[in-house]
Every structure is written in C-alpha cells, then in structure tokens.
C-alpha cells in the first residue's frame, strides 16, 4: 500500500488543516461509516428486518474525547415502503454483527413501535 505524500503551502502563523503522512496510514486502514454501516439493514433475533441505519450520533461528551466513539445509531424502524416509518435511537453497544447482518438482539417490531421516536435537536 502506498501513501501519497501531502505537501502544504504554509504561511507564517497559519495552521495546516488535514492529516499528515503518518496519520493518513490510520485513515486508509480505517473503515468508512458511510460504506460499512449507513444504509445497512438491522434485523432482530428472528431474522425480521427492523429497518436501515440512517445516521450515527456521537454524544457531545465524546466529540472531544480521545476515543471519539459512536454512541447511537439512528434506525428507520417500522413502516412499509417508507410509509409510517420513524427514526429510533439505538445504543451502538446493543448492535451485534452476525451472519453478515447487523442484529439488534431482543427487539421485535412491536418493541420498535413502542420506542420513543428520535428527533434531531432544533438548531
């Protein structure tokens, strides 16, 4: 694997935005949430489709934390062909990967309907 060297023109007192060669190795060997998680279907233990992962939320206290862990997945639950579908927040720790699927153990369609809907904060 080759890593292209990044050259930056730098003025006195300016800050370089971006990653250096050493950090780029971590970026290249990491995984992409967009490619690996977003849009992937979540299933329950019975193999029933709960809905797709539409977003991932990093809790405010994690944004500046060293681990920057993703805290919640926003799942578009219920509905049929997008009708009556609603977003629910699911702790990422409850999602398991198994049999090439994301599994939310212990959930049912009824339980996902009873879960309070997730709404983004108004900005």
């Amino acid at each position: 694997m080759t890593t292209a060297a990044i050259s930056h023109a730098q003025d006195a007192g300016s800050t370089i935005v971006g990653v250096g060669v050493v950090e780029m190795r971590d970026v290249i060997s990491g995984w992409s949430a967009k490619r690996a998680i977003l849009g992937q279907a979540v299933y329950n233990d019975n193999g029933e489709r709960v809905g797709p992962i539409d977003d991932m939320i990093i809790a405010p206290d994690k944004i500046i934390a060293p681990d920057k862990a993703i805290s919640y997945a926003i799942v578009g639950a219920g509905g049929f062909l997008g009708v009556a579908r609603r977003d629910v927040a699911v702790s990422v720790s409850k999602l398991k990967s198994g049999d090439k699927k994301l599994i939310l153990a212990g959930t049912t369609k009824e339980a996902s309907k009873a879960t309070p809907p997730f709404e983004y904060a108004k900005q």
Side-chain angles (χ1 to χ4, degrees):
M1 179 165 34
T2 60
T3 305
I6 301 171
S7 65
H8 298 279
Q10 186 172 2
D11 296 328
S14 68
T15 302
I16 296 173
V17 178
V19 296
V21 174
V22 173
E23 293 164 314
M24 185 59 77
R25 289 185 197 128
D26 289 340
V27 172
I28 291 170
S29 63
W31 59 271
S32 165
K34 180 180 177 181
R35 292 181 178 172
I37 302 293
L38 294 177
Q40 297 297 316
V42 174
Y43 296 87
N44 65 15
D45 297 320
N46 299 325
E48 299 170 317
R49 189 174 190 274
V50 176
I53 294 182
D54 292 332
D55 200 356
M56 297 166 74
I57 304 293
I58 300 170
D61 63 329
K62 300 286 187 183
I63 292 173
I64 57 173
D67 64 354
K68 296 182 182 100
I70 295 168
S71 305
Y72 302 94
I74 305 304
V75 178
F80 180 71
L81 299 175
V83 177
R85 184 178 121 164
R86 61 200 189 87
D87 291 335
V88 295
V90 174
S91 175
V92 172
S93 65
K94 296 185 183 222
L95 290 172
K96 305 296 179 215
S97 180
D99 204 23
K100 298 183 181 180
K101 293 180 181 178
L102 292 174
I103 299 169
L104 183 57
T107 194
T108 62
K109 289 183 179 184
E110 292 76 26
S112 66
K113 288 178 185 176
T115 302
F118 169 78
E119 294 182 22
Y120 291 95
K122 295 182 178 158
Q123 306 229 352

